[in-house]
Amino acid sequence: MGAANELASSLGRADEQPNIALAERIAGENNSAAVRELVDLLGSKNKALKSDAIKALYEVGARAPELIATHLAQFKNLLTSPDNRMVWGAMCAIDSIAGVKPEAVYMMLPQIMAAMDKGTVITRDHAVKALVKLAAEDRFAKTTFPLLLEQLRTCPVNQLPMYAELVTTAAKADGARQVELVLADRLTTVDQPAKRKRIAKVLKQLAKA
């Protein structure tokens, strides 16, 4: 049975479990042919099928990123889609690929930032995660770390604790001090106790760095 036939919409299902189960099988079998079939479905006129395909693909990416990495160009193209579901699904895939093909993802920074600026919370979250992966490597840090600092300065309070925790993993030496300054400034505007506690914990970690 082809991959398309195992997607939720093909099975008459309204939940995501068939797509996740398919992704697990594809990753377990290292099935590049099934991945290609799913990538081809991204151009379908059937919205439900496209949505299922992108879900299955980024779930494959979460388990076996190298399997979807050869299709990075297709995910890049989806960043300008008028369908938000496709945009944030593509960013989820790009996030996973950043761990195995950082150079290729780095070359996409303009497209990633453009999608990030006008995208949903999920789009932004996974763009930040991709940038953190790049910033952890010295060859990309000079360009990507300032972008992460800007996200810390401007992101909504709801995202701030998670972004602080993520960015700190890529902060080194002077970068750690910069993160510390930004977070100390923003902490004065955070009212929620749980969020303040998470940010304060990051600040303690940075102080020891």
Side-chain angles (χ1 to χ4, degrees):
M1 186 164 63
N5 296 322
E6 297 183 52
L7 295 171
S9 55
S10 298
L11 298 171
R13 296 270 293 270
D15 63 298
E16 296 282 12
Q17 193 53 47
N19 303 327
I20 295 170
L22 174 60
E24 290 173 344
R25 182 176 68 76
I26 290 172
E29 296 174 354
N30 197 35
N31 192 336
S32 58
V35 169
R36 283 195 299 273
E37 184 181 348
L38 291 173
V39 169
D40 288 342
L41 291 175
L42 298 177
S44 170
K45 293 181 179 179
N46 184 320
K47 189 171 182 178
L49 206 56
K50 286 198 300 185
S51 179
D52 288 338
I54 193 68
K55 169 68 174 177
L57 284 165
Y58 71 70
E59 291 289 351
V60 171
R63 295 160 175 79
E66 65 284 351
L67 262 182
I68 67 167
T70 54
H71 302 283
L72 182 59
Q74 284 87 345
F75 299 123
K76 174 185 173 181
N77 291 339
L78 287 178
L79 293 181
T80 56
S81 170
D83 184 342
N84 272 332
R85 175 70 179 93
M86 303 307 287
V87 175
W88 64 256
M91 195 67 83
C92 289
I94 290 166
D95 170 20
S96 66
I97 294 169
V100 294
K101 275 197 171 182
E103 299 92 346
V105 173
Y106 179 77
M107 297 302 294
M108 292 170 46
L109 271 183
Q111 291 82 9
I112 290 172
M113 297 309 298
M116 187 181 195
D117 288 343
K118 60 183 180 182
T120 64
V121 171
I122 299 175
T123 302
R124 183 180 293 268
D125 287 353
H126 283 276
V128 166
K129 290 176 181 179
L131 288 174
V132 166
K133 289 182 177 76
L134 297 180
E137 299 199 30
D138 291 340
R139 54 187 169 153
F140 305 128
K142 185 176 180 180
T143 301
T144 55
F145 197 75
L147 297 175
L148 289 169
L149 286 175
E150 185 60 20
Q151 290 303 311
L152 288 181
R153 293 187 189 100
T154 62
C155 72
V157 170
N158 281 346
Q159 271 65 55
L160 184 58
M162 181 178 76
Y163 289 6
E165 290 160 357
L166 287 168
V167 174
T168 297
T169 65
K172 302 170 186 175
D174 290 345
R177 299 286 77 77
Q178 293 176 67
V179 172
E180 190 174 4
L181 289 171
V182 171
L183 292 181
D185 181 59
R186 290 215 61 182
L187 187 60
T188 63
T189 68
V190 178
D191 298 325
Q192 300 94 323
K195 290 182 174 59
R196 289 184 62 85
K197 184 177 180 180
R198 285 174 68 183
I199 296 167
K201 184 176 179 180
V202 172
L203 284 168
K204 286 182 181 179
Q205 292 172 347
L206 290 166
K208 296 176 183 178

